[in-house]
Amino acid sequence: MLRIILNKKLAFWVLLSLPALVLLQRYFSGELIAMDMLQPTGEWSARFMIAAMLLSPLLSLLGPRIWLTWLIQRRRALGVATFSYAVLHLIFYAVDMGNLGDILAEFLALGIWTGWAAMLLFVPLAVTSNDASMRMLKKGWKRLQRLVYPAAILVLVHWIFIHNNLATALLHFMPLILLVAARYFLPRKSIFKGA
């Protein structure tokens, strides 16, 4: 029964939405203020981005696996969740700042403009995250999706400088960094034989 439910794409969307629903409930109940929403919405956006990006290197290194194929079939949902949490992050940033003048005053800080730049790169990825765009763009769609790599670097820099905490950012990004490096520097399927 659980397997049938999990195989429904709607169930996966609900699962991706749970952190946002909990955070929004706490915000609207007055338990959290806008500033409290910034870190968790930003971190969930980064986590979903990392999860989506991990799938190709894992497939390259491990070869086809049932669980990996299941996740790859839902990779687009992870990308849309990345964008959705980034939008929430941006909304609560604007609410917390309160006015455009304050937003512009800190725009050139490294931890700030990298977040805006990452968001700018997320927009075309989110807008074209549908079958119609894939058909229309053909090979260009895959090239466009590669914008996620500079976006990921920008997100990492944003995280490090906003929180002044290299360790936490690297803890999240290190699996992705290692797997992408392994994908390009090790023979395929060599490090996880028999997995």
Side-chain angles (χ1 to χ4, degrees), residues 91-108:
I91 289 168
F92 285 108
Y93 169 72
V95 171
D96 181 55
M97 293 302 286
N99 63 75
L100 184 61
D102 287 345
I103 291 171
L104 292 175
E106 68 174 22
F107 182 80
L108 293 178

Side-chain angles (χ1 to χ4, degrees), residues 21-33:
L21 293 173
V22 170
L23 285 166
L24 288 169
Q25 185 277 324
R26 293 177 68 196
Y27 175 75
F28 287 113
S29 72
E31 186 182 341
L32 299 177
I33 60 172

Side-chain angles (χ1 to χ4, degrees), residues 76-145:
R76 223 183 300 173
L78 287 167
V80 173
T82 298
F83 179 71
S84 300
Y85 280 86
V87 168
L88 270 181
H89 184 66
L90 180 58
I91 289 168
F92 285 108
Y93 169 72
V95 171
D96 181 55
M97 293 302 286
N99 63 75
L100 184 61
D102 287 345
I103 291 171
L104 292 175
E106 68 174 22
F107 182 80
L108 293 178
L110 182 61
I112 300 299
W113 72 257
T114 48
W116 284 103
M119 188 67 187
L120 196 62
L121 293 178
F122 283 157
V123 171
L125 297 175
V127 169
T128 59
S129 191
N130 54 71
D131 292 337
S133 294
M134 286 181 77
R135 285 191 297 272
M136 187 178 70
L137 294 170
K138 297 182 175 138
K139 289 182 181 177
W141 186 84
K142 209 158 198 175
R143 284 196 297 272
L144 181 66
Q145 294 304 304

